[in-house]
């Protein structure tokens, strides 16, 4: 085993130890010191349209609405989105109480349009909404099924309706999240994407009591998508815009990733990190917002491994430390961060 392989092995040992410690701490927080269940989270597992539901061998305790509110508040940034989500939670909660007290309730449409650049938290909030609706009894399961055009549209006449129908069945009782949904209608009238839209609209009408659909993508294409069909306009009347993260918010996300993975920034690394993220945030589409911060972290870890491979002695402390030089090396590997 060469020097670099040994450094990587030591890194993985530290990350593994920190991960186990973090999971125990999360479990203690959730269960107030009681014996924790086997799984560290009570959230349903996300599922892709093409994948299998891995599931848990033991059903975890149900989440409470307050648990989910605290989680929402703990997200970095997203101030306007948090306010809209909290307002929606309040509305649905009051409607549920009215129904329980035999009072008239309006027919709420819970389908939503999420717009914004990549990496702004759209999938994260969709997953949270699925859990909120499950907690409130609006949805029977609360799983999230993620899909894009390729998961809905087939290449032959008549097959798209079947393919879309299969995805809808996986999403029943939960949320169907369609990323870059505008790709279903931006290829002309002869494309099979319209067949997927028609199948989706029928399912939204037939199963409106136990299916929520969230469509997502860039802002302007999503507006064209919704206005391309009267059926889409009538069913999607809740819009959440996800703004780009600021450089400071991206730095907070980076440092949160460090903490959860068993790393910490050197004192002189904070400003270089902010400088890199300010350059990245100038091109949010190319950099990818939170995804860009995550990629920068992964490159910084790789740069640290290369640096430690040349060190005569490596300790637990040095394994956990990301330096300013590590960040500069990581930034130099990314075209979107070059000056």
């Amino acid at each position: 085993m060469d020097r670099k392989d040994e450094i990587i092995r030591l890194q993985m040992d530290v990350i593994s130890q920190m991960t186990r410690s973090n999971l125990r701490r999360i479990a203690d927080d959730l269960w107030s010191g009681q014996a924790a269940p086997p799984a560290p989270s009570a959230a349903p597992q996300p599922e892709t349209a093409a994948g299998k539901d891995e599931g848990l061998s033991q059903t975890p305790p149900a989440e409470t609405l307050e648990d989910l509110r605290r989680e929402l508040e703990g997200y970095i940034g997203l101030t306007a989105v948090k306010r809209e989500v909290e307002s929606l939670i309040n509305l649905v909660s009051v409607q549920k109480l009215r129904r329980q007290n035999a009072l008239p309730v309006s027919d709420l449409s819970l389908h939503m349009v999420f717009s914004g650049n990549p990496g702004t938290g759209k999938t994260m909030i969709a997953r949270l909404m699925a859990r909120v609706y499950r907690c409130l009894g609006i949805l029977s399961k609360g799983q999230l099924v993620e899909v894009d055009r390729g998961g809905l549209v087939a290449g032959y006449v008549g097959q798209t309706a079947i393919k879309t129908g299969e995805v809808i069945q996986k999403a029943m009782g939960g949320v169907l999240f369609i990323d870059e949904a505008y790709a279903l209608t931006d290829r002309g009238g002869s494309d099979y994407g319209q067949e997927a839209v028609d199948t989706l609209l029928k399912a939204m009408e037939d199963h409106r009591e136990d299916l929520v659909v969230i469509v997502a993508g860039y802002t302007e294409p999503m507006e064209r998508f919704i206005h391309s069909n009267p059926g889409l306009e009538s069913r999607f009347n809740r819009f959440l815009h996800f703004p780009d993260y600021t450089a400071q918010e991206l730095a907070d996300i980076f440092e949160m990733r460090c903490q959860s993975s068993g790393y910490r920034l050197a004192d002189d690394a904070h400003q270089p990190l902010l400088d890199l993220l300010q350059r990245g945030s100038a091109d949010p589409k190319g950099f990818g917002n939170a995804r860009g911060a995550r990629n920068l972290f992964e490159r910084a870890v790789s740069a640290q491994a290369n640096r430690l491979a040349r060190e005569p002695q490596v300790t637990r402390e040095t394994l956990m430390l990301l330096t300013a030089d590590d960040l500069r090396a990581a930034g130099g590997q990314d075209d979107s961060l070059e000056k």
Side-chain angles (χ1 to χ4, degrees):
M1 180 182 293
D2 62 25
R3 178 69 170 165
K4 187 173 180 180
D5 288 339
E6 175 66 13
I7 295 299
I8 293 173
R9 185 190 67 77
L10 290 170
Q11 282 182 313
M12 294 305 297
D13 286 345
V14 171
I15 292 172
S16 177
Q17 292 171 14
M18 293 297 294
T19 299
R20 287 195 296 269
S21 176
N22 286 338
L23 291 180
R24 284 195 299 269
R25 187 170 63 253
I26 291 169
D28 288 342
D29 290 342
L30 283 175
W31 313 118
S32 302
Q34 300 176 30
S41 172
Q45 298 299 306
E47 174 184 332
T48 61
K52 295 181 179 180
D53 184 6
E54 297 296 334
L56 297 173
S57 60
Q58 182 174 337
T59 303
E63 297 175 296
T64 69
L65 196 56
E66 288 309 310
D67 291 335
L68 297 171
R69 280 193 164 111
R70 281 194 296 271
E71 180 176 330
L72 174 65
E73 190 56 36
Y75 292 153
I76 293 171
L78 302 174
T79 302
V81 172
K82 290 177 183 177
R83 187 167 55 246
E84 290 297 325
V85 170
E86 180 67 28
S87 178
L88 181 57
I89 290 174
N90 293 338
L91 175 61
V92 174
S93 298
V94 169
Q95 291 293 305
K96 179 181 178 181
L97 290 173
R98 287 181 61 87
R99 186 177 292 108
Q100 291 172 349
N101 285 274
L103 292 170
V105 295
S106 56
D107 187 13
L108 294 178
S109 174
L110 300 179
H111 309 300
M112 290 178 282
V113 180
F114 287 2
S115 63
N117 287 326
T120 49
K122 297 185 292 294
T123 305
M124 176 178 69
I125 294 297
R127 188 174 293 119
L128 178 73
M129 292 309 304
R131 293 158 58 199
V132 166
Y133 291 151
R134 171 68 181 91
C135 181
L136 291 171
I138 304 300
L139 295 174
S140 60
K141 297 179 182 177
Q143 80 280 17
L144 182 80
V145 174
E146 303 174 44
V147 72
D148 57 13
R149 174 190 163 89
L152 298 173
V153 178
Y156 301 95
V157 175
Q159 289 188 341
T160 292
I162 297 173
K163 190 173 185 179
T164 302
E166 290 173 349
V167 172
I168 290 168
Q169 284 303 310
K170 288 185 179 181
M172 287 300 301
V175 171
L176 175 59
F177 181 82
I178 306 175
D179 197 17
E180 297 184 349
Y182 46 77
L184 293 172
T185 59
D186 64 0
R187 303 189 183 182
S190 60
D191 182 71
Y192 299 132
Q194 187 57 50
E195 186 179 352
V197 172
D198 293 340
T199 304
L200 182 66
L201 290 173
K202 185 176 186 305
M204 292 168 67
E205 179 64 27
D206 293 346
H207 305 289
R208 59 178 179 267
E209 298 298 326
D210 204 22
L211 175 67
V212 170
V213 178
I214 298 176
V215 291
Y218 291 114
T219 302
E220 292 183 3
M222 287 306 299
E223 290 179 356
R224 291 195 296 270
F225 170 69
I226 295 301
H227 297 311
S228 69
N229 185 309
L232 292 171
E233 285 185 316
S234 65
R235 288 170 177 82
F236 290 99
N237 57 12
R238 298 185 182 279
F239 297 80
L240 269 68
H241 176 68
F242 289 70
D244 295 318
Y245 287 105
T246 66
Q248 184 57 59
E249 288 169 344
L250 292 173
D252 292 341
I253 290 170
F254 184 100
E255 293 201 43
M256 181 179 290
R257 187 65 178 262
C258 286
Q259 183 178 6
S260 66
S261 301
Y263 291 88
R264 70 175 184 83
L265 284 176
D267 292 340
D268 64 348
H270 294 275
Q271 189 59 49
L273 171 64
L274 192 58
D275 292 343
L276 285 169
L277 293 172
Q278 283 174 336
R279 293 209 297 272
S281 61
D283 177 24
K285 290 184 179 180
F287 183 66
N289 281 284
R291 295 178 193 172
R294 179 192 66 202
N295 292 338
L296 179 63
F297 169 78
E298 292 173 356
R299 288 192 298 273
V301 169
S302 179
Q304 185 219 41
N306 290 331
R307 174 176 58 81
L308 292 180
R310 300 188 296 269
E311 295 289 333
Q313 183 176 4
V314 177
T315 66
R316 189 175 191 274
E317 178 64 21
T318 56
L319 282 169
M320 296 175 65
L321 192 68
L322 295 180
T323 67
D325 287 341
D326 295 333
L327 288 170
R328 293 188 185 101
Q333 299 169 27
D334 186 353
D335 293 341
S336 69
L337 293 174
E338 292 182 355
K339 293 182 178 179

